[in-house]
Amino acid sequence: MPPDIRPYRWPQALLALVAAITLTALPQTAVPAAAVVVRQEEWPLDAQHFDADSIWRLAQGQGVTVAVIDSGVDATHPDLAGQVLSGTGFIGDPKDTGQSDISSDSHGTAIAGIIAGTGTAQGGSGMIGLAPRAKLLPVRVGAQGAVTALALAQGIKYAADHHAQVINVSLGTPTPDPLLREAVAYALGKDAVLVASAGNSGQDGNPLLYPAAFPGVIDVTGTDAQGQFWPVSESGPHTTLAAPSTRIYSTNSHGQYVQAEGTSYGAAYVSAAAALVRSTSPRLTASQTIRRLITTAQHPSGHALPDDQYGYGIVAPLAALKDASTTASNTNPLLSAPISAGQADAHSDTIVIVAAGGLAAATAVTSAFIWRRRARSRGNQRRAQPTTPQHPPAKRKKNGRSNSSASHPTRSRSR
Protein backbone atom coordinates (compact mmCIF):
# COMPACT_ATOMS: atom_id res chain seq x y z
CA MET A 1 0.00 0.00 0.00
CA PRO A 2 1.46 3.43 -0.91
CA PRO A 3 2.61 5.34 2.20
CA ASP A 4 0.06 8.15 1.77
CA ILE A 5 -2.91 5.75 1.72
CA ARG A 6 -4.29 4.27 4.89
CA PRO A 7 -7.50 2.45 5.71
CA TYR A 8 -10.14 4.77 7.07
CA ARG A 9 -12.01 3.70 10.18
CA TRP A 10 -15.70 4.52 9.90
CA PRO A 11 -17.14 6.34 12.92
CA GLN A 12 -19.72 4.20 14.68
CA ALA A 13 -22.31 6.95 14.36
CA LEU A 14 -21.87 6.93 10.59
CA LEU A 15 -22.02 3.16 10.37
CA ALA A 16 -25.40 3.30 12.05
CA LEU A 17 -26.67 5.39 9.12
CA VAL A 18 -25.45 3.05 6.41
CA ALA A 19 -28.08 0.58 5.32
CA ALA A 20 -27.71 -2.74 3.50
CA ILE A 21 -24.99 -3.04 0.87
CA THR A 22 -25.20 -5.79 -1.68
CA LEU A 23 -22.17 -6.89 -3.61
CA THR A 24 -23.16 -8.08 -7.06
CA ALA A 25 -20.88 -11.02 -7.12
CA LEU A 26 -20.88 -14.24 -5.25
CA PRO A 27 -18.12 -15.41 -2.88
CA GLN A 28 -14.69 -15.46 -4.48
CA THR A 29 -12.07 -18.16 -4.53
CA ALA A 30 -8.50 -16.94 -4.12
CA VAL A 31 -6.20 -18.28 -6.83
CA PRO A 32 -2.43 -18.27 -6.11
CA ALA A 33 -0.44 -16.85 -9.00
CA ALA A 34 1.41 -20.13 -9.51
CA ALA A 35 -1.71 -22.30 -9.42
CA VAL A 36 -3.21 -21.42 -12.79
CA VAL A 37 -2.34 -19.69 -16.05
CA VAL A 38 -4.94 -16.97 -15.74
CA ARG A 39 -4.86 -15.92 -19.38
CA GLN A 40 -5.94 -19.42 -20.40
CA GLU A 41 -8.88 -19.28 -17.98
CA GLU A 42 -10.34 -16.05 -19.35
CA TRP A 43 -13.08 -17.69 -21.38
CA PRO A 44 -14.88 -14.43 -22.27
CA LEU A 45 -11.84 -13.43 -24.33
CA ASP A 46 -11.52 -16.62 -26.38
CA ALA A 47 -12.38 -17.00 -30.06
CA GLN A 48 -15.80 -18.51 -29.30
CA HIS A 49 -16.87 -15.46 -27.29
CA PHE A 50 -15.44 -11.93 -27.61
CA ASP A 51 -12.46 -12.99 -29.79
CA ALA A 52 -10.13 -10.58 -28.04
CA ASP A 53 -7.21 -11.23 -30.39
CA SER A 54 -9.27 -9.88 -33.29
CA ILE A 55 -10.50 -6.99 -31.14
CA TRP A 56 -6.98 -5.92 -30.20
CA ARG A 57 -5.99 -5.64 -33.84
CA LEU A 58 -8.59 -2.86 -34.06
CA ALA A 59 -8.44 -1.19 -30.65
CA GLN A 60 -7.09 -1.69 -27.15
CA GLY A 61 -8.70 1.19 -25.33
CA GLN A 62 -5.89 3.68 -25.80
CA GLY A 63 -6.77 7.28 -25.02
CA VAL A 64 -9.78 6.38 -22.87
CA THR A 65 -10.15 6.68 -19.09
CA VAL A 66 -12.52 4.35 -17.28
CA ALA A 67 -13.53 5.31 -13.75
CA VAL A 68 -13.95 2.45 -11.29
CA ILE A 69 -16.38 3.62 -8.60
CA ASP A 70 -15.71 1.03 -5.94
CA SER A 71 -13.44 0.03 -3.05
CA GLY A 72 -10.24 1.35 -4.61
CA VAL A 73 -7.80 -0.38 -6.97
CA ASP A 74 -4.49 -2.01 -6.02
CA ALA A 75 -2.08 -0.11 -8.27
CA THR A 76 0.80 -2.38 -7.25
CA HIS A 77 -0.59 -5.55 -8.83
CA PRO A 78 1.81 -6.64 -11.61
CA ASP A 79 -1.04 -6.75 -14.14
CA LEU A 80 -2.20 -3.23 -13.19
CA ALA A 81 1.17 -1.47 -12.90
CA GLY A 82 1.07 1.78 -14.84
CA GLN A 83 -2.64 1.52 -15.49
CA VAL A 84 -4.06 3.18 -12.39
CA LEU A 85 -4.23 6.97 -12.32
CA SER A 86 -4.29 8.98 -9.12
CA GLY A 87 -7.92 9.22 -8.08
CA THR A 88 -9.65 10.00 -4.83
CA GLY A 89 -11.83 8.66 -2.06
CA PHE A 90 -15.01 9.75 -0.33
CA ILE A 91 -14.74 7.88 2.95
CA GLY A 92 -13.12 10.58 5.02
CA ASP A 93 -9.39 10.47 4.18
CA PRO A 94 -8.38 13.69 2.39
CA LYS A 95 -5.12 12.09 1.17
CA ASP A 96 -6.83 9.13 -0.45
CA THR A 97 -5.87 8.55 -4.09
CA GLY A 98 -7.88 5.36 -4.50
CA GLN A 99 -4.73 3.47 -5.50
CA SER A 100 -5.15 0.73 -2.92
CA ASP A 101 -7.96 -1.68 -2.26
CA ILE A 102 -8.97 -1.89 1.40
CA SER A 103 -11.91 -4.23 0.88
CA SER A 104 -11.69 -7.81 2.08
CA ASP A 105 -12.73 -9.21 -1.31
CA SER A 106 -10.59 -7.11 -3.69
CA HIS A 107 -13.72 -6.02 -5.48
CA GLY A 108 -12.45 -2.83 -7.05
CA THR A 109 -9.18 -4.50 -8.08
CA ALA A 110 -11.07 -7.37 -9.73
CA ILE A 111 -13.22 -4.93 -11.71
CA ALA A 112 -10.10 -3.04 -12.79
CA GLY A 113 -8.35 -6.18 -14.01
CA ILE A 114 -11.28 -7.15 -16.24
CA ILE A 115 -11.27 -3.72 -17.82
CA ALA A 116 -7.58 -2.91 -18.26
CA GLY A 117 -5.27 -5.60 -16.92
CA THR A 118 -2.07 -5.82 -18.98
CA GLY A 119 -1.33 -9.53 -18.61
CA THR A 120 2.35 -8.82 -17.99
CA ALA A 121 2.62 -11.04 -14.89
CA GLN A 122 3.55 -14.71 -15.15
CA GLY A 123 5.83 -14.01 -18.07
CA GLY A 124 3.02 -12.45 -20.07
CA SER A 125 0.35 -14.96 -19.08
CA GLY A 126 -1.26 -12.90 -16.34
CA MET A 127 -4.69 -11.30 -16.23
CA ILE A 128 -5.38 -9.21 -19.31
CA GLY A 129 -8.36 -6.93 -19.57
CA LEU A 130 -10.60 -6.48 -22.59
CA ALA A 131 -9.27 -2.91 -23.03
CA PRO A 132 -5.65 -3.34 -21.88
CA ARG A 133 -4.44 0.10 -22.92
CA ALA A 134 -7.23 2.07 -21.26
CA LYS A 135 -6.41 3.94 -18.07
CA LEU A 136 -8.22 3.44 -14.79
CA LEU A 137 -9.42 6.22 -12.51
CA PRO A 138 -10.02 4.74 -9.04
CA VAL A 139 -12.74 6.41 -6.96
CA ARG A 140 -13.17 4.87 -3.53
CA VAL A 141 -16.68 5.24 -2.18
CA GLY A 142 -16.68 2.56 0.49
CA ALA A 143 -14.72 0.07 2.53
CA GLN A 144 -15.85 -3.36 3.76
CA GLY A 145 -19.29 -2.89 2.25
CA ALA A 146 -20.02 0.47 3.87
CA VAL A 147 -21.24 2.92 1.24
CA THR A 148 -23.60 5.87 1.45
CA ALA A 149 -25.69 7.35 -1.34
CA LEU A 150 -23.87 10.65 -0.82
CA ALA A 151 -20.43 9.04 -1.31
CA LEU A 152 -21.57 7.21 -4.42
CA ALA A 153 -23.09 10.37 -5.88
CA GLN A 154 -19.92 12.33 -5.13
CA GLY A 155 -17.83 9.62 -6.73
CA ILE A 156 -19.83 9.66 -9.97
CA LYS A 157 -19.59 13.45 -10.20
CA TYR A 158 -15.85 13.34 -9.49
CA ALA A 159 -15.33 10.83 -12.29
CA ALA A 160 -17.29 12.99 -14.72
CA ASP A 161 -15.38 16.13 -13.71
CA HIS A 162 -12.08 14.31 -14.22
CA HIS A 163 -12.86 13.39 -17.80
CA ALA A 164 -13.69 9.72 -17.46
CA GLN A 165 -15.30 8.75 -20.76
CA VAL A 166 -16.71 5.58 -19.16
CA ILE A 167 -17.87 5.18 -15.54
CA ASN A 168 -18.25 1.68 -14.08
CA VAL A 169 -20.54 1.36 -11.05
CA SER A 170 -20.71 -2.21 -9.78
CA LEU A 171 -22.86 -1.28 -6.80
CA GLY A 172 -26.29 0.13 -6.23
CA THR A 173 -29.22 0.82 -3.99
CA PRO A 174 -32.81 -0.47 -4.05
CA THR A 175 -34.04 3.11 -3.57
CA PRO A 176 -33.93 5.70 -6.41
CA ASP A 177 -32.11 8.20 -4.22
CA PRO A 178 -32.42 11.80 -5.51
CA LEU A 179 -28.73 12.52 -4.85
CA LEU A 180 -27.78 9.54 -6.95
CA ARG A 181 -30.28 10.49 -9.66
CA GLU A 182 -28.78 13.96 -9.80
CA ALA A 183 -25.25 12.55 -10.07
CA VAL A 184 -26.28 10.28 -12.94
CA ALA A 185 -27.84 13.20 -14.80
CA TYR A 186 -24.70 15.26 -14.16
CA ALA A 187 -22.41 12.57 -15.58
CA LEU A 188 -24.63 12.04 -18.62
CA GLY A 189 -24.46 15.78 -19.21
CA LYS A 190 -20.65 15.49 -19.18
CA ASP A 191 -20.82 12.96 -22.05
CA ALA A 192 -19.86 9.96 -19.91
CA VAL A 193 -21.08 6.43 -20.60
CA LEU A 194 -22.47 5.05 -17.32
CA VAL A 195 -22.43 1.28 -16.86
CA ALA A 196 -23.90 -0.43 -13.78
CA SER A 197 -24.52 -4.02 -12.75
CA ALA A 198 -28.04 -5.33 -12.30
CA GLY A 199 -27.42 -7.28 -9.09
CA ASN A 200 -27.44 -10.90 -7.95
CA SER A 201 -30.84 -11.24 -6.28
CA GLY A 202 -32.73 -12.56 -9.29
CA GLN A 203 -33.89 -15.54 -7.23
CA ASP A 204 -34.51 -13.46 -4.13
CA GLY A 205 -37.21 -10.95 -5.02
CA ASN A 206 -35.50 -9.66 -8.18
CA PRO A 207 -35.48 -6.03 -6.97
CA LEU A 208 -34.58 -2.97 -8.98
CA LEU A 209 -31.17 -1.53 -8.23
CA TYR A 210 -29.97 2.00 -8.86
CA PRO A 211 -28.12 3.53 -10.61
CA ALA A 212 -28.50 0.58 -13.02
CA ALA A 213 -32.26 1.13 -13.37
CA PHE A 214 -32.02 4.88 -13.88
CA PRO A 215 -32.77 6.05 -17.45
CA GLY A 216 -29.63 6.65 -19.48
CA VAL A 217 -27.54 4.02 -17.66
CA ILE A 218 -26.45 0.74 -19.27
CA ASP A 219 -27.97 -1.89 -16.96
CA VAL A 220 -26.01 -5.15 -17.26
CA THR A 221 -27.31 -8.65 -16.48
CA GLY A 222 -25.28 -11.87 -16.47
CA THR A 223 -24.68 -14.79 -18.82
CA ASP A 224 -22.64 -17.99 -18.61
CA ALA A 225 -20.10 -19.47 -21.02
CA GLN A 226 -22.88 -20.99 -23.13
CA GLY A 227 -24.56 -17.62 -23.56
CA GLN A 228 -27.43 -18.63 -21.30
CA PHE A 229 -28.99 -16.12 -18.93
CA TRP A 230 -27.57 -16.53 -15.42
CA PRO A 231 -30.69 -17.00 -13.24
CA VAL A 232 -29.06 -15.42 -10.19
CA SER A 233 -28.85 -12.15 -12.09
CA GLU A 234 -31.52 -9.55 -11.47
CA SER A 235 -33.39 -8.52 -14.60
CA GLY A 236 -36.42 -6.62 -15.83
CA PRO A 237 -37.65 -4.11 -18.42
CA HIS A 238 -34.76 -1.82 -17.54
CA THR A 239 -32.15 -4.36 -18.75
CA THR A 240 -29.87 -3.00 -21.48
CA LEU A 241 -27.21 -5.63 -22.19
CA ALA A 242 -26.02 -8.99 -20.89
CA ALA A 243 -22.38 -10.00 -20.40
CA PRO A 244 -20.23 -12.80 -18.95
CA SER A 245 -20.70 -13.10 -15.20
CA THR A 246 -19.85 -16.69 -14.22
CA ARG A 247 -16.52 -18.40 -13.54
CA ILE A 248 -14.68 -15.12 -14.01
CA TYR A 249 -10.98 -14.77 -13.21
CA SER A 250 -9.40 -11.45 -12.32
CA THR A 251 -6.82 -9.65 -10.22
CA ASN A 252 -6.95 -9.34 -6.44
CA SER A 253 -5.32 -6.95 -3.98
CA HIS A 254 -2.56 -9.39 -2.98
CA GLY A 255 -0.73 -9.61 -6.28
CA GLN A 256 -2.63 -12.77 -7.16
CA TYR A 257 -6.03 -13.66 -8.62
CA VAL A 258 -9.62 -14.53 -7.81
CA GLN A 259 -12.33 -16.60 -9.41
CA ALA A 260 -15.89 -15.45 -8.77
CA GLU A 261 -19.35 -14.86 -10.21
CA GLY A 262 -21.55 -11.80 -10.34
CA THR A 263 -23.04 -9.12 -12.54
CA SER A 264 -20.31 -6.80 -11.28
CA TYR A 265 -18.00 -8.53 -13.70
CA GLY A 266 -20.51 -8.36 -16.54
CA ALA A 267 -20.64 -4.59 -16.04
CA ALA A 268 -16.83 -4.44 -16.20
CA TYR A 269 -16.82 -6.20 -19.58
CA VAL A 270 -19.41 -3.77 -20.93
CA SER A 271 -17.39 -0.82 -19.60
CA ALA A 272 -14.35 -2.20 -21.40
CA ALA A 273 -16.38 -2.59 -24.60
CA ALA A 274 -17.48 1.04 -24.33
CA ALA A 275 -13.85 2.05 -23.86
CA LEU A 276 -12.87 0.16 -27.02
CA VAL A 277 -15.58 1.91 -29.06
CA ARG A 278 -14.68 5.34 -27.73
CA SER A 279 -11.00 4.62 -28.39
CA THR A 280 -11.42 3.70 -32.04
CA SER A 281 -14.18 6.28 -32.67
CA PRO A 282 -13.29 9.23 -30.44
CA ARG A 283 -15.77 11.54 -32.15
CA LEU A 284 -18.72 9.44 -31.06
CA THR A 285 -20.66 10.91 -28.17
CA ALA A 286 -21.64 8.83 -25.16
CA SER A 287 -25.15 8.50 -26.57
CA GLN A 288 -23.83 7.31 -29.93
CA THR A 289 -21.51 4.86 -28.18
CA ILE A 290 -24.44 3.38 -26.27
CA ARG A 291 -26.44 3.12 -29.48
CA ARG A 292 -23.53 1.33 -31.16
CA LEU A 293 -23.32 -1.20 -28.34
CA ILE A 294 -27.01 -2.02 -28.28
CA THR A 295 -27.51 -2.22 -32.05
CA THR A 296 -24.55 -4.60 -32.49
CA ALA A 297 -25.31 -6.84 -29.51
CA GLN A 298 -25.55 -10.59 -30.13
CA HIS A 299 -29.08 -11.98 -30.25
CA PRO A 300 -29.47 -15.22 -28.27
CA SER A 301 -31.31 -17.94 -30.14
CA GLY A 302 -34.99 -18.17 -29.36
CA HIS A 303 -35.30 -14.71 -27.80
CA ALA A 304 -37.30 -11.88 -29.29
CA LEU A 305 -35.34 -8.84 -28.24
CA PRO A 306 -35.35 -6.62 -26.36
CA ASP A 307 -36.42 -8.72 -23.39
CA ASP A 308 -36.10 -8.60 -19.62
CA GLN A 309 -33.16 -11.00 -19.36
CA TYR A 310 -30.85 -9.94 -22.19
CA GLY A 311 -32.07 -6.44 -22.93
CA TYR A 312 -30.86 -5.81 -26.48
CA GLY A 313 -28.57 -8.84 -26.39
CA ILE A 314 -25.14 -10.01 -25.25
CA VAL A 315 -22.51 -7.31 -25.65
CA ALA A 316 -20.43 -7.93 -28.78
CA PRO A 317 -17.41 -5.61 -28.76
CA LEU A 318 -15.91 -6.90 -32.01
CA ALA A 319 -19.14 -6.26 -33.90
CA ALA A 320 -19.35 -2.81 -32.32
CA LEU A 321 -15.84 -1.99 -33.52
CA LYS A 322 -16.54 -3.23 -37.04
CA ASP A 323 -19.75 -1.24 -37.34
CA ALA A 324 -18.89 1.73 -39.51
CA SER A 325 -22.39 3.20 -39.44
CA THR A 326 -22.95 6.59 -37.94
CA THR A 327 -26.07 8.25 -36.67
CA ALA A 328 -26.99 11.90 -36.63
CA SER A 329 -29.00 11.36 -33.48
CA ASN A 330 -27.30 12.42 -30.29
CA THR A 331 -30.12 11.28 -28.01
CA ASN A 332 -29.29 8.70 -25.38
CA PRO A 333 -31.47 5.73 -26.44
CA LEU A 334 -31.91 4.71 -22.79
CA LEU A 335 -33.56 7.91 -21.65
CA SER A 336 -37.27 7.65 -21.06
CA ALA A 337 -40.46 9.15 -19.75
CA PRO A 338 -41.11 11.20 -16.59
CA ILE A 339 -40.72 9.74 -13.12
CA SER A 340 -43.64 7.77 -11.77
CA ALA A 341 -45.29 9.50 -8.85
CA GLY A 342 -43.86 8.67 -5.45
CA GLN A 343 -40.76 6.82 -6.62
CA ALA A 344 -38.08 9.33 -5.70
CA ASP A 345 -39.42 11.40 -2.88
CA ALA A 346 -37.16 10.37 -0.03
CA HIS A 347 -33.40 10.39 0.42
CA SER A 348 -31.85 7.09 1.43
CA ASP A 349 -28.45 6.24 2.87
CA THR A 350 -28.79 2.69 1.58
CA ILE A 351 -26.38 1.45 -1.08
CA VAL A 352 -26.29 -2.01 -2.52
CA ILE A 353 -22.92 -2.99 -3.90
CA VAL A 354 -23.13 -5.20 -6.91
CA ALA A 355 -19.70 -6.60 -6.47
CA ALA A 356 -17.70 -9.69 -5.81
CA GLY A 357 -18.34 -11.18 -2.43
CA GLY A 358 -22.02 -11.93 -2.42
CA LEU A 359 -24.67 -10.20 -0.35
CA ALA A 360 -22.93 -8.15 2.31
CA ALA A 361 -24.84 -6.05 4.79
CA ALA A 362 -23.82 -3.20 7.03
CA THR A 363 -25.69 -2.74 10.31
CA ALA A 364 -28.54 -0.30 9.82
CA VAL A 365 -31.85 0.47 11.43
CA THR A 366 -33.57 1.17 8.10
CA SER A 367 -32.46 -1.88 6.14
CA ALA A 368 -35.61 -3.96 6.73
CA PHE A 369 -37.82 -1.15 5.48
CA ILE A 370 -35.67 -0.60 2.41
CA TRP A 371 -35.57 -4.25 1.45
CA ARG A 372 -39.37 -4.51 1.65
CA ARG A 373 -39.77 -1.56 -0.67
CA ARG A 374 -37.29 -2.57 -3.31
CA ALA A 375 -39.28 -5.39 -4.93
CA ARG A 376 -41.55 -3.18 -7.00
CA SER A 377 -44.03 -4.49 -9.51
CA ARG A 378 -42.69 -4.28 -13.04
CA GLY A 379 -45.64 -5.56 -14.99
CA ASN A 380 -46.73 -2.15 -16.21
CA GLN A 381 -43.34 -1.06 -17.49
CA ARG A 382 -42.89 -0.83 -21.25
CA ARG A 383 -39.81 -1.23 -23.41
CA ALA A 384 -39.25 0.60 -26.68
CA GLN A 385 -37.06 -0.64 -29.52
CA PRO A 386 -34.19 1.32 -31.01
CA THR A 387 -34.79 2.36 -34.58
CA THR A 388 -32.83 -0.37 -36.32
CA PRO A 389 -34.02 -3.25 -38.52
CA GLN A 390 -31.68 -5.64 -36.70
CA HIS A 391 -34.07 -6.25 -33.82
CA PRO A 392 -37.16 -8.46 -34.16
CA PRO A 393 -40.52 -7.24 -32.85
CA ALA A 394 -40.70 -6.95 -29.09
CA LYS A 395 -42.19 -9.94 -27.34
CA ARG A 396 -45.57 -9.90 -25.64
CA LYS A 397 -45.56 -9.69 -21.88
CA LYS A 398 -47.11 -12.46 -19.83
CA ASN A 399 -49.66 -10.04 -18.47
CA GLY A 400 -51.06 -9.57 -21.97
CA ARG A 401 -49.49 -6.20 -22.67
CA SER A 402 -47.21 -5.99 -25.63
CA ASN A 403 -43.94 -4.12 -25.57
CA SER A 404 -44.11 -0.92 -27.54
CA SER A 405 -42.20 -0.42 -30.78
CA ALA A 406 -41.38 3.26 -30.77
CA SER A 407 -40.43 5.23 -33.83
CA HIS A 408 -37.90 7.19 -31.83
CA PRO A 409 -34.72 5.65 -30.37
CA THR A 410 -35.76 5.61 -26.73
CA ARG A 411 -37.00 2.91 -24.47
CA SER A 412 -39.11 3.27 -21.40
CA ARG A 413 -37.31 2.23 -18.27
CA SER A 414 -38.24 1.79 -14.70
CA ARG A 415 -37.27 4.84 -12.74
Side-chain angles (χ1 to χ4, degrees):
M1 180 179 299
D4 60 335
I5 304 297
R6 62 183 185 276
Y8 178 72
R9 295 187 179 277
W10 286 72
Q12 291 301 313
L14 181 56
L15 281 173
L17 292 175
V18 180
I21 295 209
T22 307
L23 301 172
T24 46
L26 300 181
Q28 299 177 338
T29 300
V31 180
V36 65
V37 179
V38 174
R39 179 68 178 86
Q40 295 178 357
E41 299 296 332
E42 293 185 73
W43 66 263
L45 304 188
D46 67 25
Q48 289 71 48
H49 295 93
F50 290 156
D51 192 4
D53 289 336
S54 295
I55 286 172
W56 296 331
R57 286 192 283 269
L58 301 176
Q60 297 183 25
Q62 56 269 32
V64 176
T65 297
V66 181
V68 178
I69 314 293
D70 217 286
S71 58
V73 175
D74 180 11
T76 68
H77 193 289
D79 290 325
L80 293 173
Q83 297 293 87
V84 186
L85 304 174
S86 178
T88 193
F90 291 96
I91 64 170
D93 186 345
K95 296 182 179 180
D96 194 351
T97 64
Q99 294 172 308
S100 65
D101 191 339
I102 57 178
S103 66
S104 60
D105 56 14
S106 305
H107 186 256
T109 302
I111 298 301
I114 290 170
I115 296 171
T118 62
T120 56
Q122 298 183 334
S125 298
M127 172 71 196
I128 188 166
L130 182 58
R133 292 183 62 188
K135 293 299 182 182
L136 300 161
L137 179 67
V139 183
R140 195 193 324 274
V141 295
Q144 306 303 344
V147 182
T148 66
L150 175 60
L152 180 55
Q154 290 174 323
I156 291 173
K157 286 185 174 182
Y158 174 91
D161 283 339
H162 287 77
H163 312 295
Q165 293 101 315
V166 182
I167 300 175
N168 186 93
V169 185
S170 287
L171 43 81
T173 172
T175 301
D177 189 278
L179 292 176
L180 191 53
R181 182 190 299 276
E182 179 189 8
V184 165
Y186 182 84
L188 293 176
K190 290 279 189 174
D191 198 40
V193 175
L194 266 72
V195 182
S197 43
N200 300 332
S201 296
Q203 297 175 325
D204 185 22
N206 195 34
L208 292 175
L209 285 186
Y210 301 88
F214 279 135
V217 179
I218 299 179
D219 185 338
V220 183
T221 60
T223 58
D224 62 19
Q226 288 70 48
Q228 298 299 308
F229 176 73
W230 186 46
V232 177
S233 172
E234 293 166 43
S235 62
H238 46 83
T239 301
T240 307
L241 292 168
S245 298
T246 66
R247 202 169 59 80
I248 303 298
Y249 281 81
S250 193
T251 46
N252 74 3
S253 57
H254 306 291
Q256 299 184 7
Y257 304 94
V258 295
Q259 180 195 352
E261 298 183 326
T263 57
S264 284
Y265 308 118
Y269 280 118
V270 173
S271 289
L276 292 170
V277 171
R278 302 207 81 172
S279 173
T280 195
S281 302
R283 293 187 178 182
L284 288 183
T285 64
S287 298
Q288 292 167 333
T289 300
I290 293 170
R291 189 181 303 274
R292 176 81 64 86
L293 291 173
I294 66 177
T295 57
T296 59
Q298 175 188 347
H299 295 185
S301 177
H303 286 262
L305 300 180
D307 75 359
D308 288 357
Q309 294 182 340
Y310 292 92
Y312 293 105
I314 301 172
V315 67
L318 182 58
L321 291 175
K322 289 183 174 180
D323 185 0
S325 64
T326 57
T327 175
S329 174
N330 196 27
T331 301
N332 187 320
L334 306 180
L335 290 173
S336 67
I339 306 170
S340 299
Q343 280 195 313
D345 297 331
H347 170 69
S348 168
D349 284 314
T350 301
I351 291 294
V352 178
I353 289 189
V354 246
L359 180 64
T363 302
V365 294
T366 58
S367 59
F369 170 73
I370 293 297
W371 285 100
R372 288 193 191 102
R373 289 189 58 200
R374 70 181 188 174
R376 295 185 182 274
S377 171
R378 304 173 186 179
N380 60 354
Q381 301 296 327
R382 296 184 304 155
R383 182 195 304 276
Q385 283 184 270
T387 53
T388 169
Q390 297 181 8
H391 294 296
K395 72 173 187 178
R396 184 170 293 276
K397 294 279 189 181
K398 291 181 179 179
N399 64 4
R401 299 189 182 189
S402 61
N403 295 313
S404 60
S405 292
S407 60
H408 54 84
T410 62
R411 59 183 279 199
S412 297
R413 298 186 63 183
S414 170
R415 312 268 314 216

